[in-house]
Amino acid sequence: DVQLVESGGGSVQAGESLRLSCVASGHTGKKYCVGWFRQAPGKGREGISCIDNDGTPYYRDALKDRFTISQDSAKNKLYLQMNSLKPEDTGMYYCAAVTTVVPRGSATLVLGALTAYGPYNTWDQGTQVTVS
């Protein structure tokens, strides 16, 4: 099992930046993707970004110019740097992992796997990001 502990988040003004951090522990297996999704009130999950076991990052097209994912493998830590935040970025942000063979090459498919409600999916309690 994978355990995820997230930190960061908060309230900022439009145009400002925030950084989320996530520490992953436990057994991820050989094939996985770890990253973030978000959920605004009344809306479904939206995949943001994840890094797979080969170190390949995947991004939601609409966010890739403002959001950057990185990792410190030695510390099993992930970071999501969010710049030029907008009010529509407001929502709960969840560190998440999918530990199974995920389709490669397509961010849409990979992030879809990350946001699924399946036996290979894990997510933390989430952190609120509010942009006004």
Side-chain angles (χ1 to χ4, degrees):
D1 291 349
V2 179
Q3 292 80 45
L4 304 166
V5 179
E6 179 178 16
S7 59
S11 296
V12 296
Q13 298 292 314
E16 294 183 342
S17 299
L18 277 175
R19 189 176 79 160
L20 305 181
S21 301
C22 180
V23 176
S25 60
H27 181 64
T28 59
K30 296 182 178 180
K31 303 289 185 182
Y32 61 85
C33 207
V34 183
W36 276 267
F37 66 82
R38 67 186 183 185
Q39 190 165 20
K43 295 188 177 181
R45 293 178 167 184
E46 183 176 84
I48 299 171
S49 180
C50 69
I51 293 179
D52 71 12
N53 48 284
D54 293 326
T56 301
Y58 295 87
Y59 290 97
R60 187 178 191 85
D61 279 346
L63 300 176
K64 62 184 179 181
D65 291 336
R66 299 187 293 120
F67 289 18
T68 303
I69 195 169
S70 60
Q71 65 178 352
D72 181 342
S73 299
K75 298 180 180 179
N76 288 335
K77 204 163 186 178
L78 261 65
Y79 303 97
L80 183 69
Q81 179 67 40
M82 305 184 292
N83 298 329
S84 303
L85 284 162
K86 304 175 181 180
E88 52 263 43
D89 293 318
T90 295
M92 285 293 290
Y93 283 65
Y94 298 86
C95 183
V98 55
T99 54
T100 187
V101 178
V102 297
R104 299 292 196 260
S106 166
T108 299
L109 293 178
V110 171
L111 295 178
L114 184 71
T115 58
Y117 293 88
Y120 300 105
N121 291 89
T122 305
W123 55 92
D124 73 339
Q125 78 286 352
T127 189
Q128 178 68 37
V129 172
T130 302
V131 185
S132 59

